[in-house]
Amino acid sequence: MSSGWLRGVVKEVPSGDTLVISATVKSGVPPEKRITLSSLIAPKLGLRDGSRNDEPFAYQSREFLRSLCIGQPCVFRVEHKIEAAGNREFGSVFLGQQRNVAVEVASNGWARVKFASAAAIEAKEVSPYYDALQQAESEAKALELGLWTRDPTASEESVRDLRDLDASAFFLGLGKGARFVATVEQVLSGSTLRLGVRDPVEAVQSAVQSQDPPSSVFLYGSVLVHVSGVQAPSMTRPGTSSLPLRGGHSGPAWGSTPAGGGVGGGVVSSGADTESSISNAVESLSINPSNSNSTTTTTTTTTIPTSIPTSDPFAREAKFLTETHALNRDVRLIAEGLDRNGNLYVTVLTPALPPRPTPSAGQGEGGEGVEVVRDGDGYANLAEMLLKKGLAKCVESGLGLLSTPGAGLKYREWERLGRDSRQGVWVNFAGVNGAVNGAVNGVANGPAKGTWIRGRVVEVSSGDCLVIRPFAPTPTTTTTTTTASEKRIQLSSIRAPRPPTRNAPQGEPWGYEARELLRKTAVGKWVEARVEYCRSVPLSPEDASATRQLVFANVEVLAPEEQIQVDVTGQWPASPAPSTTAITPNRIHLAELVLKKGLAQTVRHRTDEERSALYDHLQAVEEVARSSRIGLSAKQAPPTPRINDLSQAGAAKAKLHLPFLQRSGRIMGVVDFVLSAQRVKLFVPKEGVLIAFAPSGVKTPTRAMPAQGGKPATQAEAYAEEAYAFSRELLNQRDVEVVIEDMDRGGTFLGSLKVLGGGGGGGGRGGGGGGRGGGRQERQEQGERRDFAVELLRNGFAKIQPYVDPMALANGAEMVQAERSAKEARKRIFEN
């Protein structure tokens, strides 16, 4: 029996005279054949179980054939099959359509040529290149090559002492982060390999499981390893499958050469005639299950019973990718660590593949098909290939073992690329929270990953949530801004305790401290947020259909010099370039800050969830805070803040506190909430009270009010929303200094209020967005304390009440001057 010439790629070299050749197909897992070179006998390798030892020179013979053929494109044909040997197929293999592999092996002395008996010749079980093989063997004998050496010690020294290694002892002998080289002898799954190890000798010797001393100087260890940080689909899952069951590969049948396509006479001569004959006759392997004229034996499909393990979806694809890049190759490895079961985890770096037949000839990219980063020697990370092709998922325990700084971040980014491509194990992935393909991680209309949000922080809701007013470059004097443009941002991958609220006055322990830390650091500052993922959460447990969008981002507070640049020039700083994988120098990373103080915890994400690009760094910061026993890890929780809310208590109760507040003179406080353009809720820490406060003598436009309490609805006055946005950015959650002068009949305290510190509102970008130049210059002249009433008047958002004598107020002269300048410039409410 003789098939036509077929094309393939050498995938494995089991011994010195046997090759496993996979087909050249455009996609999927290709079929393969196990071919024994006709008329050759190589020494037999030993078995790991010790039932058979190496024959002399068996390992060297296999190594020669491996280095010659592994990964190389070839053409071959099956020339005969011996049923008594388990239907073993024998044939001829050529590299580059010219180099006869069997002749190369014989000429280097690594195999013997079988005696061609008359029965074998009659049964056509002799290689058509028998004469060339005999001549090559004679030359090798004359040169004493390989098996034919006359060195009396070479035969004994060529036999391996094959031992199973204890993974734990082997790792301890190496040390974490140690680099070594090994040969991949077996691929059990896409992320599980068996290595053949010779060096370092000390580590191999210390890990030998048997107590017997080595029987030779050639110690060869076998150790099972797992690719650190990833897990490919399992090849062994209990269940029933209808996949073909066979000894090697369960792929489709090999196609045959069409009628008349074989080599005439079945014999190919050497030299140019050989190359010409094969190139004219070779056919690419085709999947041809319906070809009844095929002379190639097809695979019989048998249903696997339930007692035989089956594989997870895409397990065979992951295994084939690893086989293509690693099987029988010398790979570089980094010892990463052991799990609690003693399994050894390594980083596997594979060499570049040899040139392959073009996809037009039926060959894909061997499972790579993606852009991978290779080092100067052409080695690439196997985990990168698996993750980008969607043939593995990240595993937190394995990522924690990686010794290379920032490696976990790269692995998650590779996984994201594979997930976004919706291939492999992600082919049916619908996104977090059931989002359809194309949605941004569970939110159909959320901002895309990587979107930059630049602006000023106007509110801190909790230790992990803030509100940003987007930056608007160089607004004009007529530019207006409302609160509708504000963006609520959650800090990626952390959770802080909930602070006290109206519905939950006590809050969670450390919630108030976490919010205060973020408020003092970020409110009024220019920040840069990079969106990393979004979530869609229900508005209430009762109605899951009504949802709201949460945007998660990494947020950094600009450096002081950058803050000044934005305020003075009105342009966002162009440098340093924003980084997606590291904290920008001189900036404050808010998530890191809260974790460092022990006032938040990192979120334990599911495997398929997006997370912060700095997740590994954040976890390290959290661990430092935990070991320092601060914040959430402290032995005692902080005292619960006790706050008396006079803003909701009524005028009678508020009036009881008026004398105390008046006698206190200048009082330090924090604006808890902006109720309207001129009325705020103010927290006075010294007295432990929340009061309603408004500046004396000014009136701002009234916002629209719905009908309530028997009163009709009212329409908004001109610039009411803009005035509210201005006051919100200028005052909200800012440290202020107030002087209480009086109280109105509604229980609102009246007086003067000055904003402490720089940034925010004031004639410019954020709040009212008004004239940048004049407002900015006046702010600088005033220093750090800015009078609230004066700012409202100067920017055309208020006017002095007609029944008030401004000269009776402490800041009356400034108020009159501010109103006059706004009228002359016809700003906002004075435009007509």
Side-chain angles (χ1 to χ4, degrees), residues 434-674:
V436 296
N437 288 351
V440 181
N441 202 29
V443 181
N445 298 311
K449 178 182 174 70
T451 300
W452 290 97
I453 298 175
R454 298 176 172 95
R456 194 196 299 277
V457 176
V458 296
E459 181 183 346
V460 171
S461 302
S462 65
D464 56 13
C465 179
L466 47 84
V467 178
I468 299 175
R469 178 75 53 78
F471 169 79
T474 59
T476 66
T477 56
T478 58
T479 301
T480 58
T481 305
T482 65
T483 57
S485 61
E486 295 175 354
K487 308 292 184 184
R488 183 173 294 272
I489 302 297
Q490 313 283 328
L491 300 183
S492 298
S493 295
I494 73 167
R495 185 190 183 279
R498 302 301 97 183
T501 62
R502 180 183 301 179
N503 297 328
Q506 300 302 316
E508 296 178 358
W510 298 103
Y512 175 79
E513 287 74 13
R515 184 180 64 180
E516 277 296 285
L517 174 65
L518 211 59
R519 182 190 69 80
K520 292 179 179 179
T521 305
V523 167
K525 302 295 180 59
W526 296 109
V527 298
E528 196 165 54
R530 182 179 186 271
V531 176
E532 299 197 285
Y533 56 94
C534 299
R535 294 282 187 269
S536 184
V537 298
L539 289 174
S540 65
E542 294 78 15
D543 185 10
S545 61
T547 61
R548 63 188 177 101
Q549 172 184 316
L550 300 181
V551 179
F552 293 80
N554 269 331
V555 183
E556 291 181 337
V557 179
L558 299 190
E561 60 273 14
E562 293 176 316
Q563 299 280 345
I564 296 173
Q565 178 182 342
V566 179
D567 280 328
V568 173
T569 67
Q571 298 296 325
W572 200 263
S575 62
S579 173
T580 61
T581 60
I583 297 173
T584 308
N586 301 324
R587 292 184 177 181
I588 301 174
H589 189 276
L590 294 181
E592 179 194 43
L593 173 67
V594 180
L595 288 170
K596 188 179 294 184
K597 298 296 184 180
L599 298 176
Q601 296 176 325
T602 55
V603 177
R604 301 303 184 256
H605 292 283
R606 298 197 308 265
T607 302
D608 58 351
E609 281 186 335
E610 291 274 18
R611 65 199 67 203
S612 171
L614 301 168
Y615 188 71
D616 294 330
H617 173 70
L618 297 179
Q619 284 191 311
V621 172
E622 179 190 21
E623 183 58 35
V624 172
R626 184 184 294 115
S627 62
S628 301
R629 309 290 293 179
I630 60 176
L632 295 171
S633 301
K635 294 182 178 180
Q636 288 185 330
T640 303
R642 297 184 180 276
I643 301 174
N644 186 9
D645 191 354
L646 300 180
S647 65
Q648 304 290 330
K653 187 173 181 180
K655 193 171 184 179
L656 296 176
H657 290 73
L658 179 59
F660 303 102
L661 296 175
Q662 286 176 323
R663 287 196 297 267
S664 298
R666 293 180 179 181
I667 301 172
M668 303 305 296
V670 179
V671 176
D672 185 68
F673 188 74
V674 177

